[in-house]
Amino acid sequence: MTFENLPLIPRLKRNVAEAGYETPTPIQRETIPLVLRGCDVLGCAQTGTGKTAAFALPILQQLQARPDSGVRPIRCLILTPTRELALQIWENFNLYGKGLSPRAAVIFGGVSQTPQVEALQRGADIVVACPGRLWDLMNQGFVSLDAIEIFVLDEADRMLDMGFIHDVRRIVARLPEKRQTLMFSATMPAEVEKLAMDLLHNPETVKVDPVSSPVEAIEQKLFYVDKANKKHLLAYLLRRPGVENCLVFSRTKHGADRIARDLKREDIDAAAIHGDKTQSARQAALNRFRAGECKVLVATDIAARGLDIEGLSHVINYDQP
Ligand code: AMP
């Protein structure tokens, strides 16, 4: 099956082709027709399976087909737990939506709200948001959700883990009853199922496996080492041939900073990202790493979840995951 077989408009097909996609992933094959038919969907899928395009493509098509009344209210809301994911989803909407009329804006905390408010005031059909800042802007009167036609709750399980459930429920209470709802979650614990029952109306369920199991695609190694020698082993491993770039996971924010500092002392270029860094510092570090200007990115699991980095040669779990 190719994208040609999916009921997408020519411009979307062209945009995915330009993005280099040839065949739709399983979640895209199943989800796109359902969303186009107006169904509620519960998607059990992890990041990396192509789930962003699975909802973004049909949403763009639906909004394109139903022109707004000219005042540009927000017609689609996507809630996602982290700023990095919000940015990534927003970038994908821009990429897939090239040449189409719907416009997207992104909202997250940790940065000035002014540019975000200005983007909303210019008019955005699609808003990708983290719950905390969105709630804040709603209470300041900058955001109205009265015209929402499609609501997407992304990474629902992580939303619960990170303690955003209260914000999510408060936001959902402001959405119109009549709407299409899509919900995605990597895992389905009881609490997520309960949320799904509350949010979704006769949903179709789509379940896909992770892209490939790690044992097939990735060579894994375990090193036993004294705590005092961990940093030396890390530096040694990073200098070995074949290590083009490496994402190092640390359990704590403090640990991430310390690892990056120790590596710099060893003349290995490293940057750290975690929740205590400003958004611009996080994005700058990520951009440097993606561009290959910096060999090592040290991150906490939360900060790095769902990051999409092409051509990563190594991942090291510095602490036991
Ligand atoms: P996601 O799970 O949405 O974060 O997507 C993971 C990665 O897969 C991103 O880099 C996408 O650009 C890429 N991707 C999504 N759909 C396809 C496709 N059909 N073919 C190739 N790559 C894709």
Side-chain angles (χ1 to χ4, degrees), residues 3 21-25 28 46-53 96 308:
F3 277 100
Y21 305 174
E22 285 164 10
T23 48
T25 65
Q28 292 165 0
Q46 293 179 326
T47 292
T49 54
K51 75 175 154 67
T52 314
Y96 307 143
D308 182 26

Side-chain angles (χ1 to χ4, degrees), residues 95-317:
L95 179 72
Y96 307 143
K98 241 184 338 183
L100 298 175
S101 63
R103 266 210 306 255
V106 64
I107 288 176
F108 49 80
V111 292
S112 157
Q113 71 172 44
T114 312
Q116 298 176 4
V117 170
E118 284 167 0
L120 291 170
Q121 285 166 344
R122 281 195 300 274
D125 310 82
I126 300 160
V127 167
V128 185
C130 297
R133 171 61 66 87
L134 178 69
W135 181 248
D136 192 3
L137 295 186
M138 284 166 71
N139 285 320
Q140 295 178 55
F142 291 121
V143 180
S144 160
L145 302 180
D146 295 344
I148 294 290
E149 297 166 38
I150 309 173
F151 170 57
V152 182
L153 184 63
D154 187 36
E155 307 257 344
D157 52 352
R158 181 51 55 132
M159 217 54 117
L160 293 169
D161 289 349
M162 291 175 71
F164 293 146
I165 186 64
H166 188 54
D167 280 337
V168 170
R169 285 200 180 269
R170 286 195 296 195
I171 292 166
V172 168
R174 302 276 188 93
L175 295 173
E177 282 279 320
K178 191 175 166 306
R179 58 163 200 262
Q180 183 177 13
T181 305
L182 318 175
M183 180 168 150
F184 294 89
S185 194
T187 57
M188 286 290 160
E191 226 184 324
V192 173
E193 285 199 12
K194 171 151 191 335
L195 189 62
M197 291 212 302
D198 295 345
L199 293 185
L200 300 163
H201 186 68
N202 287 337
E204 297 283 346
T205 302
V206 175
K207 192 171 182 313
V208 300
D209 296 328
V211 195
S212 58
S213 73
V215 277
E216 286 167 32
I218 299 169
E219 188 187 344
Q220 305 196 57
K221 287 188 179 142
L222 174 69
F223 297 91
Y224 291 94
V225 61
D226 296 330
K227 199 167 174 212
N229 278 318
K230 255 168 126 174
K231 63 179 178 189
H232 303 300
L233 176 63
L234 180 65
Y236 168 78
L237 290 173
L238 290 172
R239 286 208 183 90
R240 297 213 339 172
V243 182
E244 285 152 34
N245 53 12
C246 182
L247 180 59
V248 178
F249 283 112
S250 153
R251 201 165 36 77
T252 64
K253 301 169 190 173
H254 185 66
D257 282 333
R258 197 178 47 231
I259 294 166
R261 219 170 33 236
D262 287 343
L263 288 175
K264 279 187 207 146
R265 259 187 223 131
E266 297 253 10
D267 274 334
I268 296 175
D269 198 5
I273 60 167
H274 54 67
D276 284 353
K277 300 249 179 197
T278 65
Q279 181 55 27
S280 55
R282 284 160 69 163
Q283 207 55 41
L286 191 55
N287 289 345
R288 281 208 315 132
F289 184 63
R290 279 198 173 119
E293 290 161 19
C294 156
K295 184 171 175 178
V296 183
L297 186 68
V298 191
T300 54
D301 180 35
I302 295 270
R305 182 184 159 119
L307 288 184
D308 182 26
I309 297 160
E310 299 232 330
L312 191 60
S313 81
H314 288 73
V315 174
I316 295 179
N317 284 300

